[in-house]
Amino acid sequence: MYRSAAHCLTLSLLAFCAPAFGAGQAPPADVVTTPTITVSAARVPTPEEVFAIPADLRAMLQKQVIQRSYSRDQRLQALVEMIFDQHGLDLQYDANATYTVSDIWQHRRANCLAFTLLFVTLAREAGIQARVQEVGQVVSWYQDQDAGVVYSVGHVNAGVDVGGRFGTVDLDRNVLYDRRGPVPVSRARALAHFYNNRGAERLADGDFVGARAFFDASLAQDSGFAPVWNNLGVLDHREGNNEAARQALDRSLQLEGRQGAALTNASALFRSLGLTAQAQSLERRLKSVQREDPFAQYMFGAKAERAGQLDQAIRYYRQAVRLYDTAHQFHFGLARVYFLAGQLKRADRELLRAQELGGAPEQARYQAKLDSLARWRAQQQARR
């Protein structure tokens, strides 16, 4: 999670593959810290350097992927094995590793953005049609769906085309996309993501000069990329330039008016400037956006559930289901709070629906939940 702070208000950074807020927090939330301001002469890699394949990595690709088969199907499988196998890259996940392809080769670590750039670059080198895709927002489940839940403001993955059959390669196996799903983006947009993430990392470290250099590089690739304008607003505010911050946040909202982080940041900025009416208008707009956002409703439900506020949790989870009725995770959340509230028939119904929607990978898991509920009910009846 990226952290941001300000002298009198908290502003939220947007960095793709970085979570905007956790399950126990209200969206979009942030961790307040006191920034350490440093100055650096940022070395911004050129677009060519971002995608450059080191000679040793190219040789590995040639040996372990290209020479193994002429079949694109087999090469695709071999590429996945090479990236994660101990005898290949042995790649490890690191949320803060927004690396170039060369950096990944050196450190053997990557976040989802860096992994996607690596995968697409190597796939194309191996003759596989691949592209970078972005998702507006996602929910990820880590370890257990009852806990480790993260709502992310953005996500990227790789799309592949093998003989007219399209597929997605995603570093996060437990991710739920928004209804729009993955959308192909240009090379320039992918680079805008990369530079924006690097800038967010610099800003989180208090390196204002370095952050601006990367944000400028992001805008040079795609001036219509709303998240970087939000981040520039955060940076300008921290540097004490509230007028520039206001302009940047206005630009972000012009490009993407339903962006929760920018709405939150802009309203907080207006409040700090004593512009209460404008702040309240943006806060109403934010609430309206959140009411129609199934992910935000789900996260509000998770927060209420953890606080033992079951009626509120049911209301939020039901709204999430209404907005996104094919998400088996949402039905499972609703089943869980129905069970805790003693509404067992409704819990049964929602668990069955979660099982139906979850498909084969979730059948056993949800069946175990159903069996557990049945045993509990039998025990309760036996005690009467």
Side-chain angles (χ1 to χ4, degrees):
M1 180 178 297
Y2 287 118
R3 298 174 296 177
S4 63
H7 297 297
C8 58
L9 69 155
T10 301
L11 300 186
S12 300
L13 292 178
L14 279 179
F16 277 53
C17 301
F21 58 91
Q25 299 170 295
D30 208 4
V31 179
V32 180
T33 61
T34 301
T36 300
I37 300 175
T38 60
V39 176
S40 67
R43 170 70 176 88
V44 179
T46 66
E48 292 71 26
E49 289 171 334
V50 172
F51 296 107
I53 304 174
D56 289 344
L57 176 56
R58 192 183 300 274
M60 178 185 287
L61 180 70
Q62 184 70 31
K63 180 180 180 180
Q64 297 191 23
V65 178
I66 297 174
Q67 291 179 358
R68 284 181 58 177
S69 175
Y70 288 106
S71 164
R72 289 190 178 91
D73 275 339
Q74 293 178 4
R75 283 187 178 183
L76 179 60
Q77 182 61 39
L79 176 58
V80 173
E81 292 174 1
M82 186 201 84
I83 288 175
F84 295 105
D85 192 81
Q86 290 184 349
H87 300 291
L89 266 176
D90 192 19
L91 188 68
Q92 303 297 314
Y93 178 76
D94 183 342
N96 296 317
T98 306
Y99 287 156
T100 66
V101 172
S102 180
D103 290 334
I104 295 172
W105 170 253
Q106 180 180 351
H107 299 290
R108 309 300 170 102
R109 307 186 76 79
N111 60 15
C112 67
L113 173 58
F115 165 78
T116 299
L117 299 184
L118 168 78
F119 188 89
V120 169
T121 300
L122 296 183
R124 290 175 175 174
E125 186 74 10
I128 302 166
Q129 292 186 37
R131 63 200 186 192
V132 178
Q133 303 177 144
E134 70 179 22
V135 186
Q137 55 185 13
V138 298
V139 173
S140 295
W141 281 265
Y142 297 105
Q143 297 178 351
D144 185 85
Q145 291 187 16
D146 298 352
V149 188
V150 174
Y151 172 34
S152 176
V153 293
H155 184 71
V156 295
N157 56 31
V160 294
D161 177 1
V162 182
R165 292 180 292 112
F166 296 92
T168 295
V169 180
D170 201 313
L171 191 59
D172 190 344
R173 297 178 181 178
N174 301 310
V175 67
L176 173 66
Y177 305 142
D178 62 25
R179 283 191 175 276
R180 188 183 66 158
V183 176
V185 296
S186 66
R187 181 175 184 267
R189 180 67 162 229
L191 284 164
H193 280 288
F194 175 84
Y195 292 129
N196 180 55
N197 266 33
R198 279 282 187 93
E201 292 166 358
R202 291 292 186 109
L203 181 50
D205 290 337
D207 179 4
F208 294 176
V209 173
R212 190 172 295 279
F214 278 103
F215 291 152
D216 287 345
S218 179
L219 289 177
Q221 293 297 322
D222 187 348
S223 62
F225 188 38
V228 73
W229 286 106
N230 173 79
N231 289 348
L232 274 171
V234 175
L235 174 58
D236 288 330
H237 172 75
R238 292 201 195 168
E239 290 185 327
N241 192 341
N242 288 329
E243 181 55 35
R246 180 175 177 174
Q247 292 177 10
L249 291 169
D250 281 346
R251 179 58 176 153
S252 183
L253 289 171
Q254 288 171 9
L255 291 166
E256 191 177 326
R258 298 179 63 81
Q259 185 186 153
L263 286 168
T264 301
N265 291 339
S267 62
L269 179 62
F270 282 144
R271 282 199 176 277
S272 74
L273 299 175
L275 302 174
T276 305
Q278 293 92 323
Q280 290 175 338
S281 175
L282 289 175
E283 288 161 2
R284 287 192 296 270
R285 187 166 152 193
L286 174 62
K287 288 181 179 179
S288 175
V289 168
Q290 291 172 339
R291 278 194 297 270
E292 300 304 314
D293 180 355
F295 292 177
Q297 292 298 304
Y298 180 86
M299 298 308 294
F300 285 141
K303 180 182 178 182
E305 180 183 349
R306 283 176 171 77
Q309 300 167 341
L310 298 183
D311 288 344
Q312 288 189 28
I314 288 171
R315 184 167 64 253
Y316 285 128
Y317 283 148
R318 288 183 64 179
Q319 178 66 356
V321 166
R322 278 194 289 268
L323 294 168
Y324 197 162
D325 63 351
T326 57
H328 65 87
Q329 301 94 333
F330 293 176
H331 286 277
F332 177 49
L334 182 54
R336 195 171 55 239
V337 292
Y338 273 146
F339 174 77
L340 293 172
Q343 301 182 39
L344 301 184
K345 289 185 178 180
R346 291 181 175 180
D348 271 341
R349 184 188 64 209
E350 293 301 327
L351 269 174
L352 284 169
R353 183 60 175 152
Q355 188 181 40
E356 292 171 359
L357 292 169
E362 296 294 335
Q363 289 289 330
R365 181 172 183 275
Y366 286 133
Q367 186 60 53
K369 296 288 185 181
L370 286 168
D371 292 343
S372 176
L373 178 58
R375 286 194 299 271
W376 184 87
R377 292 177 66 179
Q379 291 170 1
Q380 294 301 306
Q381 290 174 354
R383 291 173 182 173
R384 294 174 183 173

